[in-house]
Structures are given as structure tokens and as C-alpha cells.
Amino acid sequence: MNLISLGQSDLKVTPICLGTMTFGEQVSQQTSHAILDRSLERGVNFVDTAEMYAVPTRKETAGATETIIGNWFESHPGVRNRVVLASKVAGPTRATPWIREGTGMTAADIIASCEGSLKRLKTDVIDLYQIHWPERHVPAFGLTYYEPRKETTTTPILEQLLALAQLVKAGKVRYIGLSNETPYGVHEFVKFAEQLGLPRVVSVQNPYSLLNRTWENAMDESCHRLGVSLLAYSPLGYGLLSGKYDQSGTTGPDAPAEARLTMFESMRKQRWGRKESWETGKLYNQLARDNGLTPTQMALAFCYTKWQVASTILGVTTVAQLDEDIDIWGTQLSPEVLKEIDAIRKQHRDPAQ
């Protein structure tokens, strides 16, 4: 894997990123450290986390993932300099009142969150600091439409950007990014950065998979023209594109007991738990098998080879899963398979958007 630059920055990352939201909930610290070790051994230099992790989010485990990563840095002298570390500040009003209550996300909120993350991560600087979701009301996390009547924003984008700029100036953050964003949000952050000489966002972390290609509806052109990179999360659709739920669904007698959609009812109530997501996932999985591929191979190869994707974020619970996912790097999908993929999307669109 060749290193790539994120956006218009000199931040060099691998096109595979290790996602860590399972650390501290499904995955113990010991196994988390083994996964981190193996990831680095396999050449992956990019690690993504967030202040609200582990997931599903709970007051008892908020910050646990960052603490586990910080303990790994502490127990492995010198390893911090080999890793590009990304974390995220939680937005408001999304089932995380122990982090931030109500509406708004002030400059003070952002700075305090960063300070907390630095302490837990046991580092002096975060290489890529992202806003986890917009302070605005946006169509994300299963919402399809923007509804002005539901708008509750109280913190201007400029105020948020100025706070991030303060962190960059202080040397606590190298570069900034967004997550779960829309074209409007990206354009506003870039506009203010260019007008006022403030830090420019280098990336957006949004869902992208066979079950959710909404990035291609407008975000791809916006970010391509603005020079902002996509970090694709949930490339396996919370496991729906691995084939493991095909027979019994998420709650049937043969459902994988330790898989997240089986374990956590709260996740089954989200976009990944929709009947249409499961049914469409099975169509893609069968297409893979019909063409001599595993479902995981086809789903990840799709993300790995799309021009829109700078780096694909992998969420795993074992070292074996990590190895399987990295081994798929280099797999090419035939024009015929890509045509069939597009045919399924044309009929079923984006069920997990």
C-alpha cells in the first residue's frame, strides 16, 4: 500500500485505516492491543477513534477506546511516532448527554473535548481532529431529508472553525476534518478557511458501502473539486455485507452470537437493522458468491478501488478479521461485476443511508 496525502495537506496515510469503536465494548484491552500491533505490522499507519467511543455509546464506556489506545502508546515506546492518529469531538443532542447536553457546540466545548482526548490518548498532539457530526440538523444516521423546521443550530460554523484553528495554533492538532457532513457544511468550512486564512478541512468521514452510496449523490463532486478526501466508514454495512447474517438475520437461531447487530438492540433499530438493508445486502452477497468471491471480498474491493475513497476504515474485533480484510487489498472487480452492482443499486438505491 502506497501512502496517500489527505486533502491538500502533507498528512501521509495508508489507504486502509484501523477503526477502533469496538475497543472497550466488544473488544478487551488485551485484544485491542493485539489488533493495533498487527495493524502496524501489516503496514497500516492510520488509526481512527473518537471521544464518545466505545459503541454502542454509554456513559460507562465513553472515552474507553481512547484510553485503551493511550495505554498502547504508553506500553510501546516510540510507536506514537509511527501512527497517524485521528480522533473526533462529539456533536450535540445525539444520545450523548454525558458528553454534551442539548443543542450547540461552542468553542469552549471543542477545546475542552480535545484536551480530554489528549489526556486519554497520552499524547501531545492529534494528527487529524474531526467534528463527529454537524452541530446543525442534517440528514444523517438514517435521516433521509433535511427539514428546516427541525433546525436547532446555535453555534455558527465560523465559531467552530475558529476553535479548531486555536487548537492547531497551539500545536495540539495538526489538521482538521469533518464527519457525517453534507455539501453545504463542507463548502462553508472551506469558504471561511480560504477567506480568513484559517485551517482547511482535509477530509470528511462519511458512510460509504454497497448499501449506502449517497456520497455519490453530490458529495463526491463537491469534495473532489474542493480537494477534500473521503474516509469511508462502515464499508461492510455493520456486517450485513459479510454474509454472516444472510440465513438467520440478526436475531434468528443461527445468527452470530458475538456480532454487533445480534448483541445490541439499539443498533438493530438504526439504519443497518432495516429489513430492506438486510434484503439488499443478501443480493450483493449472492452476487459475490456467483462470481467466485466472498461477500467481504467484493464489498471491501468495491471501496478499496473507488476513486472517491481516499482511505477505508475497517472495524474489527479479532486479529483474524483484520488479516482477512487487509489481504483483500489489491483485489479488482471485473467490469461485469461492477455493472451488476450498479444494477442492484438502481433497483434498491441506498437502504442504509
Side-chain angles (χ1 to χ4, degrees):
M1 289 181 288
N2 295 322
L3 297 181
I4 59 168
S5 297
L6 286 186
Q8 298 181 1
S9 76
D10 61 359
L11 200 60
K12 302 291 187 180
V13 302
T14 44
I16 290 177
C17 174
L18 179 64
T20 61
M21 74 178 194
T22 60
F23 294 4
E25 182 65 66
Q26 288 176 270
V27 185
S28 68
Q29 176 166 283
Q30 181 179 3
T31 301
S32 299
H33 286 187
I35 291 170
L36 287 160
D37 289 341
R38 185 61 173 162
S39 179
L40 208 54
E41 289 172 9
R42 294 295 305 267
V44 174
N45 78 337
F46 194 12
V47 176
D48 178 72
T49 189
E51 70 170 330
M52 69 169 276
Y53 291 169
V55 171
T57 181
R58 295 186 293 126
K59 182 178 181 179
E60 294 77 12
T61 57
T65 305
E66 288 184 327
T67 298
I68 287 171
I69 294 171
N71 291 341
W72 181 62
F73 288 148
E74 186 176 55
S75 63
H76 293 65
V79 79
R80 173 66 186 92
N81 294 329
R82 299 169 59 192
V83 171
V84 176
L85 177 64
S87 193
K88 300 184 282 292
V89 50
T93 67
R94 189 172 177 266
T96 54
W98 46 88
I99 297 176
R100 188 159 299 109
E101 293 186 8
T103 61
M105 183 172 61
T106 66
D109 290 330
I110 293 171
I111 292 169
S113 286
C114 184
E115 295 285 1
S117 289
L118 288 168
K119 183 176 181 180
R120 288 186 293 272
L121 289 163
K122 298 181 180 179
T123 186
D124 295 327
V125 62
I126 296 170
D127 299 305
L128 176 63
Y129 197 50
Q130 306 151 103
I131 295 177
H132 205 151
W133 59 88
E135 187 268 357
R136 316 178 316 279
H137 168 76
V138 298
F141 302 111
L143 297 177
T144 304
Y145 304 110
Y146 173 66
E147 299 180 61
R149 65 184 178 83
K150 293 185 177 181
E151 187 59 78
T152 58
T153 182
T154 61
T155 309
I157 283 176
L158 179 57
E159 180 179 338
Q160 298 168 50
L161 182 56
L162 287 169
L164 294 170
Q166 185 175 333
L167 291 169
V168 172
K169 184 177 181 180
K172 296 176 180 180
V173 168
R174 292 181 63 199
Y175 294 99
I176 63 171
L178 304 171
S179 184
N180 299 294
E181 257 297 358
T182 69
Y184 168 80
V186 178
H187 276 272
E188 286 294 287
F189 273 95
V190 171
K191 178 187 74 176
F192 285 125
E194 293 182 344
Q195 288 178 346
L196 302 174
L198 298 171
R200 203 176 191 279
V201 295
V202 303
S203 62
V204 178
Q205 185 176 146
N206 271 27
Y208 187 75
S209 73
L210 293 172
L211 294 175
N212 185 346
R213 292 169 60 180
T214 53
W215 180 270
E216 298 174 3
N217 294 348
M219 282 290 284
D220 55 353
E221 181 188 7
S222 292
C223 288
H224 173 69
R225 294 185 183 277
L226 292 172
V228 176
S229 297
L230 167 62
L231 308 181
Y233 78 77
S234 295
L236 291 176
Y238 266 51
L240 293 175
L241 294 169
S242 72
K244 62 187 175 183
Y245 296 113
D246 281 7
Q247 298 304 314
S248 289
T250 58
T251 58
D254 298 322
E258 296 183 357
R260 67 187 73 163
L261 290 179
T262 304
M263 293 177 65
F264 305 115
E265 182 182 4
S266 60
M267 290 187 172
R268 293 196 298 274
K269 293 180 178 179
Q270 299 178 29
R271 51 193 157 163
W272 314 108
R274 295 170 179 163
K275 181 181 178 183
E276 54 266 41
S277 296
W278 174 65
E279 290 176 341
T280 306
K282 289 200 299 178
L283 293 177
Y284 286 118
N285 296 341
Q286 189 57 51
L287 175 63
R289 298 184 187 104
D290 290 345
N291 286 274
L293 300 164
T294 68
T296 299
Q297 280 180 307
M298 190 178 83
L300 289 182
F302 177 79
C303 287
Y304 289 166
T305 56
K306 292 290 282 187
W307 70 262
Q308 291 93 338
V309 179
S311 190
T312 301
I313 301 174
L314 303 177
V316 301
T317 56
T318 67
V319 171
Q321 284 182 348
L322 177 67
D323 280 331
E324 177 188 3
D325 292 353
I326 294 176
D327 286 344
I328 294 167
W329 179 258
T331 300
Q332 297 292 319
L333 302 180
S334 71
E336 292 76 19
V337 169
L338 291 171
K339 184 177 180 180
E340 290 297 319
I341 285 172
D342 283 344
I344 293 174
R345 189 196 183 209
K346 184 176 182 180
Q347 183 174 359
H348 298 277
R349 302 308 297 171
D350 301 296
Q353 72 179 55

